[in-house]
Amino acid sequence: MQPARKETTRFVCGQCGFASRKWLGRCPDCGAWDSLAEERQVAAARPGRPAATVQPLVAADGGEEGERLVSGIAEMDRVLGGGIVPGSLVLIGGDPGIGKSTLILQLLSSLAARQHQVLYVTGEESVRQIRMRAGRLAIGEREIFVSTENCVEAVVDLARQLRPALLAVDSIQTVFSEAVGSAPGSVTQVREATARLLQLAKSTHLPILLVGHVTKDGAIAGPRVLEHMVDTVLYFEGDRGQVFRILRTVKNRFGSTNEIGVFEMQERGLVGVDNPSALFLAERPVNVPGSVVLPSVEGTRPILVEVQALVSRSSLGTARRTAIGADPQRLALLTAVLEKKLGVTLFDHDIFLNVAGGIRIVEPALDLGVVAALLSSFFEKPIDPATVVCGEVGLAGEVRAVGQMEMRLREAGRLGFGTFLMPESAGRQLTGKAAQGVQVVAVRTVADLAERLFRS
């Protein structure tokens, strides 16, 4: 006799996953307006749950760090913290056409070349289309198995039968559960399918990679709770008009949350970049106003990037403030600091800021680079191309210390820079520790910075 099936109707918030039995104009959990959508759920009656078990923590099997599944793609292993942890659930998001499916296929190929059997489940493309992409990427390993199944229950059964070393699902928005009556891609379906795959990963120690679509705001589509369910969240960033791609860690229960992997899109797919600093500075203009080099730290890796600024008199009633690769609010704050502390008139000037190479810098160490680039463009005086700057700027115009300055100093010396302008507190500690001939120059305020850079 078939178990009774009961259909229920509820309204689920598309932003946070909050559920209500009646429609509400505003979500009481996250405060979003008009975000609750009707969902119909058909659930089968389930047998009684088995009794819960408990054991001492010291007696539990914690595994060894060396048990990580090394993919062979250095940039991918870096952002994952050294490799893929058995039983982990990894979510990769990115814009359409950015290269998510290409990266997944190359990852599976690298594992298959190491004699690991892998399974690729896709609900968006046919096997023929995947085979054509594999041909363009010169992928032909026999250990890669492909399925176009969309039902999560069937995917779980297939994984239990095949027992692959890795399961990749592309994408989670196309997978549905038979226990839910709503359409694939809905809030309920995405949450239920992820929960089933999470249970599979934890019970069988099978690592699973999920590909997720992103909304127009850049967030992964579906309820926000989706990112809380998985172990690792990676965002694949970049402009399709550029060859560089950035794989950024947003959440990682098994490693650093600040790591990035840098890839270059070539004819045969994505290729990891071993020296991103040299790549980002390869086309840097020399002796041009508005350009300065900043040593940024992403996780455990120092990267030198170029910060560009263009300050020009505005013909509009309200001057424009545009930032690419940086926080626009931070740009407005630093502009106000320069007007107040240095008397620089910027309210009637358009300001455009760009971090070259398509990379986004979120750390406060960017502040001093932005200030230097703005002053250079405003005064029409170029900054010495052998100079790098780094530090946080406060509202009083003071220059504050940032972390890992010695690592930034070594990277600047490795690439041949001769002068490093940094906060006074960090400069006192690093004086005499110059890396490969780099001169450490300490600055206390933005006025000191202007004096050091443009005193001639």
Side-chain angles (χ1 to χ4, degrees):
M1 181 178 178
Q2 294 291 334
R5 299 174 68 89
K6 182 180 179 181
E7 179 176 324
T8 59
T9 300
R10 60 180 183 172
F11 296 86
V12 181
C13 175
Q15 299 293 327
C16 66
F18 172 81
S20 172
R21 290 189 177 274
K22 62 180 182 179
W23 184 85
L24 301 172
R26 184 181 184 185
C27 175
D29 195 13
C30 67
W33 287 95
D34 197 24
S35 61
L36 271 70
E38 183 179 359
E39 296 287 352
R40 294 183 179 180
Q41 187 173 24
V42 180
R46 297 182 180 179
R49 294 179 54 186
T53 60
V54 65
Q55 60 178 318
L57 177 62
V58 293
D61 181 15
E64 299 293 337
E65 188 69 18
E67 291 182 358
R68 288 178 182 259
L69 185 63
V70 179
S71 68
I73 301 178
E75 296 300 300
M76 186 72 176
D77 291 332
R78 173 188 290 273
V79 297
L80 290 173
I84 304 171
V85 176
S88 62
L89 192 62
V90 181
L91 178 63
I92 302 179
D95 294 328
I98 202 67
K100 301 185 299 296
S101 298
T102 299
L103 178 63
I104 293 296
L105 199 55
Q106 290 185 236
L107 172 64
L108 297 178
S109 173
S110 179
L111 290 173
R114 294 167 175 254
Q115 305 304 313
H116 292 295
Q117 187 172 271
V118 292
L119 174 59
Y120 186 26
V121 176
T122 174
E124 299 184 338
E125 298 176 295
S126 65
V127 176
R128 179 182 177 86
Q129 290 174 312
I130 297 173
R131 184 68 188 92
M132 291 173 61
R133 179 187 291 119
R136 293 194 300 268
L137 300 176
I139 295 175
E141 287 79 10
R142 293 186 175 274
E143 297 298 322
I144 302 178
F145 292 85
V146 181
S147 173
T148 57
E149 182 58 62
N150 292 84
C151 178
V152 67
E153 287 81 7
V155 172
V156 171
D157 292 339
L158 187 60
R160 291 185 183 276
Q161 295 172 13
L162 191 61
R163 295 187 177 182
L166 178 71
L167 168 63
V169 179
D170 186 6
S171 66
I172 187 60
Q173 280 82 11
T174 62
V175 179
F176 67 92
S177 172
E178 292 180 333
V180 180
S182 56
S186 63
V187 173
T188 305
Q189 285 285 12
V190 170
R191 185 173 56 245
E192 181 67 18
T194 304
R196 297 292 179 90
L197 294 173
L198 177 63
Q199 184 181 20
L200 172 66
K202 301 306 178 184
S203 61
T204 63
H205 301 287
L206 169 65
I208 300 177
L209 294 182
L210 305 179
V211 176
H213 295 311
V214 297
T215 63
K216 61 181 180 181
D217 297 327
I220 294 179
R224 196 68 180 179
V225 71
L226 179 63
E227 297 188 19
H228 297 293
M229 295 172 66
V230 301
D231 298 306
T232 304
V233 179
L234 308 177
Y235 274 88
F236 210 32
E237 306 171 352
D239 188 347
R240 280 181 289 178
Q242 294 192 15
V243 297
F244 306 127
R245 302 288 188 272
I246 308 297
L247 186 62
R248 185 182 300 276
T249 309
V250 177
K251 171 188 176 182
N252 191 357
R253 290 174 176 161
F254 312 109
S256 172
T257 57
N258 297 316
E259 291 286 0
I260 67 168
V262 184
F263 295 87
E264 183 179 3
M265 180 64 78
Q266 298 183 0
E267 184 179 356
R268 287 296 182 89
L270 293 162
V271 178
V273 177
D274 297 329
N275 188 359
S277 297
L279 188 65
F280 289 136
L281 299 180
E283 300 179 80
R284 178 171 66 105
V286 180
N287 293 322
V288 175
S291 174
V292 69
V293 176
L294 166 81
S296 174
V297 173
E298 300 290 341
T300 60
R301 166 192 283 177
I303 298 178
L304 298 187
V305 296
E306 180 192 4
V307 180
Q308 298 177 332
L310 178 62
V311 180
S312 61
R313 188 171 294 277
S314 177
S315 59
L316 304 175
T318 303
R320 290 172 291 182
R321 303 286 186 264
T322 303
I324 301 176
D327 183 7
Q329 299 298 326
R330 197 68 182 172
L331 173 61
L333 182 150
L334 295 173
T335 301
V337 170
L338 290 180
E339 288 191 322
K340 182 71 173 179
K341 300 302 176 181
L342 295 184
V344 180
T345 305
L346 296 174
F347 72 92
D348 57 349
H349 285 70
D350 291 330
I351 297 179
F352 304 93
L353 184 74
N354 177 43
V355 180
I359 190 172
R360 179 172 178 80
I361 305 297
V362 296
E363 64 169 337
L366 177 65
D367 290 356
L368 208 60
V370 173
V371 168
L374 291 176
L375 293 176
S376 174
S377 180
F378 180 80
F379 292 131
E380 283 294 326
K381 292 184 178 181
I383 297 174
D384 183 0
T387 299
V388 294
V389 300
C390 178
E392 180 184 0
V393 175
L395 292 179
E398 80 280 12
V399 180
R400 297 173 174 266
V402 294
Q404 300 171 307
M405 293 299 296
E406 193 167 352
M407 182 188 300
R408 304 173 199 260
L409 179 64
R410 287 196 301 267
E411 181 70 5
R414 189 177 68 85
L415 291 182
F417 286 86
T419 306
F420 194 138
L421 274 70
M422 63 177 63
E424 187 179 46
S425 57
R428 287 196 300 265
Q429 298 176 7
L430 294 179
T431 300
K433 295 184 179 180
Q436 302 181 19
V438 181
Q439 180 187 3
V440 175
V441 178
V443 293
R444 189 167 53 89
T445 63
V446 291
D448 290 345
L449 176 73
E451 175 68 18
R452 293 281 186 176
L453 292 177
F454 311 111
R455 57 187 170 187
S456 59

